[in-house]
Amino acid sequence: MARFKLLNGNTVQLTAEEETQRDTDEAKAASDKTARIAAKSEADAKKASGKQKLKDLGLDDAEIKQLTGA
Amino acid sequence: MAYIGKTPTVGNFQKCDAISVVNGQAAYTLQVGSANVSPESVNHMLVSLNGVIQTPTTAYTVSGATLTFDSNLATGDVIDFVLLLGNVLDIGTPSDDTVATAKIQDDAVTLAKMASGTDGNIISYDASGNPVAIATGSDGQVLTSTGAGSPPAFEAVSADFVHIKTVTASNVSAVDFVNGTSDVVFDATYTSYQIVINDLVPASDAHVHMRIMQSGSAVTSSDYSFFTHGGGSDVSAGNGNSNADNQAEFKLTGQAIYDVYASGNYFGIINCSKPTTTGHKKFMWQQSFASDGDGVKGQSGAGQFDGNTSAINGLSFYMDSGNISSGNFSLYGRKTS
């Protein structure tokens, strides 16, 4: 399906090159989003496991928060 | 030139038409040019009868245009002349250049009495204090002072900060401003340009991206460097921070913009300094805000295009994924001198 852009206020159809670039941009956005979600999941998991290890060492939640800020 | 000697007496002195004596008649009508005339009073006239100047009031009286002798004249009497020393009916026609301002009552000169002029002209005064007509200006011009020594003039409004164009996006993949068409200016006319984005709503949750344009095309090389500093009322401080190099675009938002309009979804200001000056990399600065109705997200940052130092002639805005559902984009130009 053809895509359009607003050029100086006029609606014009994307050129073939622009369509290709748009596909590239959207694919990259999708992979970036996947990477962001994965990175956040990994960070959350690391945070949880680290917190648990601190608890296993005998620290309470207040002490952990003072140390890690979370 | 001042008058040398005694100033001439000015008045409406009139010699009446010859009067034929009627036997047994005392009253006669005074006329000049066959029109009745009325002396100011009995003392404003000279009457000669039978070669003798008559005594006012005693020998004659006057009422309006009627001269009445104290007795009836008889055949053989001759009214030699009647000379009027003024006229109460009108002042006659003043000689050229003789009516001074003191002779004109205040507020007596109406617009209708003024000479006709040119449509749109305004009356002012020149350096000598003489009235002068200010030439009619053009549509949109304003009357401005030109300083002492010359009258004001109609001139164009100062164009130091100018709204160039606002466009409204509706389900488009990008919004571009490019110099040269549809009244869009993005060249050396202004030192810097500002784009204000209001109420931007993406078709799906997405980030706002921007690319420079050179020769009318968006530059997609991985030469964009930028940082952003972000946060929000319902996210962790620093959520949205980024330090990025060798990117394919400027990422204006570190957090996704929601695809629903809630109390003004996205508002952004982007500044571009000296886009056409070659020999230096092009610098941008931006700040933006987004609302999801409950919380607000803020973002600020700066970016630079490292690919070359050539002139840029436009900017392109798009979502990293999906279309721009709606939004207003306004372009402004600013001068520094």
Side-chain angles (χ1 to χ4, degrees):
Chain A
M1 186 172 135
R3 284 179 286 204
F4 296 86
K5 70 176 182 178
L6 207 56
L7 174 60
N8 292 347
N10 305 306
T11 302
V12 296
Q13 188 171 345
L14 297 190
T15 64
E17 292 76 14
E18 289 172 331
E19 286 279 6
T20 300
Q21 183 61 49
R22 186 67 184 149
D23 290 339
T24 301
D25 290 340
E26 296 220 353
K28 185 172 185 303
S31 65
D32 286 349
K33 184 176 182 179
T34 301
R36 280 198 306 273
I37 293 172
K40 187 171 188 309
S41 296
E42 184 179 356
D44 289 345
K46 290 284 188 186
K47 188 183 291 182
S49 67
K51 191 172 181 180
Q52 186 57 51
K53 287 176 181 174
L54 290 174
K55 280 189 175 181
D56 293 343
L57 291 173
L59 279 69
D60 60 26
D61 285 342
E63 291 170 326
I64 293 172
K65 187 171 184 179
Q66 285 297 318
L67 284 173
T68 65
Chain B
M1 176 179 174
Y3 216 89
I4 300 175
K6 180 178 174 60
T7 302
T9 300
V10 177
N12 191 23
F13 303 103
Q14 295 176 298
K15 181 182 179 183
C16 291
D17 297 346
I19 299 173
S20 298
V21 171
V22 177
N23 187 41
Q25 179 175 311
Y28 297 87
T29 300
L30 300 173
Q31 290 186 321
V32 173
S34 301
N36 290 3
V37 291
S38 298
E40 177 86 14
S41 71
V42 73
N43 296 321
H44 285 76
M45 58 195 298
L46 295 174
V47 176
S48 175
L49 177 66
N50 299 325
V52 178
I53 297 297
Q54 302 297 297
T55 304
T57 305
T58 305
Y60 65 92
T61 59
V62 69
S63 176
T66 301
L67 168 68
T68 304
F69 291 95
D70 63 339
S71 59
N72 291 339
L73 301 186
T75 300
D77 288 337
V78 176
I79 301 174
D80 304 308
F81 61 84
V82 175
L83 185 61
L84 305 184
L85 308 176
N87 187 330
V88 296
L89 292 178
D90 60 66
I91 62 170
T93 302
S95 302
D96 291 349
D97 201 21
T98 59
V99 179
T101 185
K103 298 295 188 296
I104 303 173
Q105 292 180 326
D106 289 349
D107 303 324
V109 178
T110 64
L111 287 176
K113 295 293 189 292
M114 296 178 66
S116 298
T118 303
D119 176 33
N121 276 196
I122 287 180
I123 299 173
S124 184
Y125 298 91
D126 63 16
S128 300
N130 296 317
V132 62
I134 306 300
T136 306
S138 302
D139 185 22
Q141 289 186 321
V142 297
L143 189 63
T144 57
S145 170
T146 58
S150 63
F154 283 102
E155 296 175 340
V157 177
S158 173
D160 294 340
F161 184 40
V162 173
H163 169 246
I164 298 172
K165 193 178 186 77
T166 292
V167 301
T168 300
S170 177
N171 197 32
V172 291
S173 62
V175 173
D176 296 353
F177 284 114
V178 183
N179 179 62
T181 62
S182 300
D183 300 324
V184 170
V185 176
F186 203 94
D187 57 13
T189 302
Y190 299 97
T191 305
S192 64
Y193 289 83
Q194 183 177 78
I195 294 91
V196 177
I197 304 172
N198 284 297
D199 297 337
L200 178 103
V201 179
S204 58
D205 294 356
H207 296 76
V208 183
H209 286 185
M210 178 180 77
R211 284 183 171 129
I212 66 166
M213 303 188 80
Q214 291 182 320
S215 302
S217 297
V219 178
T220 59
S221 60
S222 297
D223 293 306
Y224 294 86
S225 300
F226 59 89
F227 79 91
T228 58
H229 183 80
S233 61
D234 54 359
V235 297
S236 302
N239 188 340
N241 287 358
S242 67
N243 294 298
D245 198 11
N246 300 323
Q247 301 295 301
E249 65 282 306
F250 290 126
K251 295 179 173 63
L252 301 184
T253 52
Q255 304 169 72
I257 305 304
Y258 293 149
D259 59 359
V260 292
Y261 182 89
S263 303
N265 198 273
Y266 173 86
F267 167 71
I269 299 174
I270 297 92
N271 291 288
C272 176
S273 175
K274 296 191 287 186
T276 60
T277 304
T278 58
H280 72 85
K281 294 178 179 178
K282 302 305 178 290
F283 176 78
M284 317 280 175
W285 174 87
Q286 63 100 3
Q287 63 179 5
S288 58
F289 308 92
S291 171
D292 59 9
D294 295 324
V296 63
K297 301 177 179 66
Q299 196 88 16
S300 63
Q304 175 174 286
F305 180 71
D306 291 329
N308 58 52
T309 59
S310 302
I312 66 177
N313 69 341
L315 294 171
S316 177
F317 299 88
Y318 60 100
M319 311 307 298
D320 66 340
S321 177
N323 277 355
I324 296 170
S325 181
S326 61
N328 295 313
F329 293 72
S330 298
L331 174 65
Y332 300 86
R334 290 182 297 205
K335 288 181 177 177
T336 55
S337 62

